[in-house]
Amino acid sequence: MTSSRSDRPLPEHTHIAVLGAGFGGIGLTIKLREAGFDDIVVLDRADDLGGTWQANTYPGCACDVPSQLYSYSFAPNPSWSRTYGKQPEILAYLRTVAERHDVVRHLRLRTELLDARWDEAAALWRIETSRGPLTADYFISAAGIFAEAKYPELPGLESFRGRTFHSLHWDHDHDLTGERVAVIGTGASAVQFIPEIQPKVEALTVFQRSAPWIVPRLDRPTLGLERRLLRHLPLAQKAVRGTWYSLIEGFGLVGFVDNRFRHPYELLGRIQLRRQIRDPRLRATLTPDYMIGCKRAIFSDAYLPALDKDNVEVVTEGIAEVGPHAIVTRGGAEIPVDTIIFGTGFTTIPTAFDRIVGRDGRSIADLYARRPQTYLGAAVAGFPNFFCTLGPFGAAGNQSAVYMIESQVAYIVDALKTLRASGQRRVEVRENVQDAFVDEMRRRSADTVWLTGGCESYYTTPDGGNAGLYPSWSFEYRRRTRRFDIESYEVSA
């Protein structure tokens, strides 16, 4: 972050405290300011804004949603260099938007949340941070769900004498050239960085638990003519955004309408696999054994060709142990390794949720561990004057996260405007309203491909339930969040 304004001291009290300076926190601050709220502090433990796009810097890091859709509707960017933005360009976009809308002066970077507790007697939030305490009338979490690395438990890992790191904490100082590298995991991050490192390494062993569905990405550089057209014809940019929205929204046909709609998508994946993998045995290894959409399908044109190179081996046997210089499979094979890279994804519950405690002494993480629960993914019973973005049942499996975030931001801002206009200060969603919403989500999820598609993923809870995806169309969700329904809440002065 180039500005020193984000290093200003914490105030003793603020009207609105926001946790997280990614897409959610930046967008929320902009819309709060537009609504006339100015006493806002945005807390983030990182040394720069950007959230996920500040933290993930691995080679090939890019969005898997087209850039025209993975951006704010109120801050269109006609100058994306590619169909799918890469990490540096997305981070630059967020910085530009934050500077343009004067969000930076509200930021307090390098400020980690240590504890946040609702004080019923004082009717405010008491917040402890790594830079000191503050209180807030309202506390809003915009903490991302891809914020902390998830590591597998591997016997003997502590004895390994080579280098290990997770894709979230990429070691840019470590040269992989000529090394024997093991990649554990084949999720979205691994699919992006494997083609980048494959040409450099002597040997690359990819440990695959289950094959991901890979469908064509069709990424390309945008033409100068395209960028000029979008810059001078805003309606053209809206049309492009609308087209991408409709195409991606169509994945809902597979997710929650009828899994028979999966067949065209699966055919597309199989055609790509046959076209890019020559070896029939490798092709069989890379063929998923579950329905597309059961877990996150991945857009890539480079991943499969990288696996078909002579210096790459895909291993499906589980890992028995890690030795000082090798990984041993359950079948007894010993694979020499110099560096282990974990592409094993992220924790489903951010650690910050362990530190946010409501009126009855329970944390958000305590509630989520029992069952995913919110109201509209934006409020939580037992947590007065608290809102959040992308809470359980506030994320979509078939749409850009930014679209869902903007829906929640509009709902939260309308809530605070409604309270201001009515002279009310305390607000908490009614428990029976939240329970009815969670029960609705459970019923509507029962026949979704996420639960019936034959796989395990972060889409599901350990007992096989929906971990938090909204089981319907994103435009329906936007309609539900367009207005703050004060009748669903307990409010008081």
Side-chain angles (χ1 to χ4, degrees), residues 1 5-7 21 42 49 103-109:
M1 199 69 219
R5 289 181 292 168
S6 61
D7 290 326
V42 182
L49 59 77
V103 172
V104 176
R105 69 183 176 90
H106 298 279
L107 298 181
R108 298 299 185 272
L109 300 176

Side-chain angles (χ1 to χ4, degrees), residues 208 211-213 269-289 304 307-308 314 316:
Q208 171 188 281
W213 278 100
R270 289 194 179 99
I271 290 173
Q272 168 132 315
L273 183 59
R274 177 169 290 275
R275 182 172 58 87
Q276 293 188 329
I277 298 296
R278 299 164 297 175
D279 182 356
R281 287 179 297 180
L282 178 59
R283 195 184 307 140
T285 297
L286 298 176
T287 299
D289 59 358
L304 294 174
L307 298 186
D308 203 24
V314 179
T316 57

Side-chain angles (χ1 to χ4, degrees), residues 1-14:
M1 199 69 219
T2 57
S3 175
S4 61
R5 289 181 292 168
S6 61
D7 290 326
R8 292 191 302 177
L10 286 174
E12 291 184 6
H13 180 79
T14 185

Side-chain angles (χ1 to χ4, degrees), residues 143-447:
I145 55 177
F146 300 131
E148 280 139 38
K150 179 181 179 181
Y151 293 90
E153 294 184 7
L154 299 178
L157 182 60
E158 68 283 353
S159 71
F160 183 63
R161 295 183 182 176
R163 187 74 179 95
T164 66
F165 55 87
H166 192 281
S167 62
L168 179 61
H169 307 293
W170 195 272
D171 186 350
H172 291 279
D173 294 328
H174 182 66
D175 187 4
L176 296 174
T177 302
E179 286 206 332
R180 298 165 299 181
V181 177
V183 172
I184 300 175
T186 55
S189 299
V191 165
Q192 290 184 348
F193 72 70
I194 282 174
E196 298 291 324
I197 68 172
Q198 175 272 320
K200 302 177 182 179
V201 304
E202 176 186 320
L204 177 61
T205 305
V206 178
F207 288 86
Q208 171 188 281
R209 186 175 61 178
S210 63
W213 278 100
I214 307 292
V215 293
R217 186 175 177 85
L218 304 178
D219 188 25
R220 63 172 180 82
T222 56
L223 302 174
L225 178 62
E226 291 178 85
R227 296 194 291 271
R228 288 193 295 273
L229 179 67
L230 296 179
R231 191 174 299 114
H232 293 102
L233 292 175
L235 285 178
Q237 188 160 19
K238 288 184 178 180
V240 171
R241 183 182 178 93
T243 299
W244 279 119
Y245 172 85
S246 299
L247 289 172
I248 293 176
E249 188 75 354
F251 293 145
L253 292 170
V254 181
F256 47 77
V257 175
D258 191 321
N259 63 37
R260 286 175 293 184
F261 282 109
R262 75 185 189 274
H263 295 301
Y265 297 102
E266 290 186 353
L267 178 61
L268 193 63
R270 289 194 179 99
I271 290 173
Q272 168 132 315
L273 183 59
R274 177 169 290 275
R275 182 172 58 87
Q276 293 188 329
I277 298 296
R278 299 164 297 175
D279 182 356
R281 287 179 297 180
L282 178 59
R283 195 184 307 140
T285 297
L286 298 176
T287 299
D289 59 358
Y290 54 88
M291 298 179 191
I292 195 169
C294 180
K295 63 173 66 175
R296 184 177 180 179
I298 301 174
F299 296 84
S300 177
D301 300 318
Y303 175 67
L304 294 174
L307 298 186
D308 203 24
K309 302 300 183 183
D310 292 339
N311 66 334
V312 180
E313 180 183 9
V314 179
V315 175
T316 57
E317 279 188 339
I319 296 174
E321 64 177 336
V322 180
H325 303 287
I327 292 176
V328 181
T329 70
R330 290 176 184 165
E334 187 170 318
I335 301 169
V337 174
D338 301 311
T339 295
I340 299 174
I341 304 175
F342 295 101
T344 44
F346 306 88
T347 58
T348 54
I349 301 177
T351 56
F353 288 179
D354 284 313
R355 305 168 184 174
I356 301 174
V357 179
R359 59 176 166 78
D360 62 358
R362 291 185 297 176
S363 71
I364 292 180
D366 292 336
L367 295 181
Y368 286 7
R370 186 161 61 89
R371 66 167 180 167
Q373 54 188 296
T374 64
Y375 176 58
L376 294 174
V380 183
F383 290 76
N385 291 18
F386 175 83
F387 295 97
C388 60
T389 61
L390 294 184
F393 311 116
N398 62 304
Q399 197 45 258
S400 166
V402 179
Y403 180 91
M404 301 299 283
I405 287 171
E406 284 199 51
S407 300
Q408 289 143 17
V409 164
Y411 183 80
I412 294 167
V413 172
D414 192 46
L416 296 181
K417 288 169 59 180
T418 301
L419 293 168
R420 182 177 60 187
S422 65
Q424 308 292 334
R425 292 185 62 248
R426 188 187 188 282
V427 60
E428 181 185 349
V429 66
R430 299 176 187 269
E431 189 166 3
N432 67 310
V433 170
Q434 177 173 291
D435 287 344
F437 174 73
V438 173
D439 287 344
E440 177 198 346
M441 296 297 98
R442 178 182 54 79
R443 291 193 307 272
R444 294 174 70 171
S445 299
D447 296 325

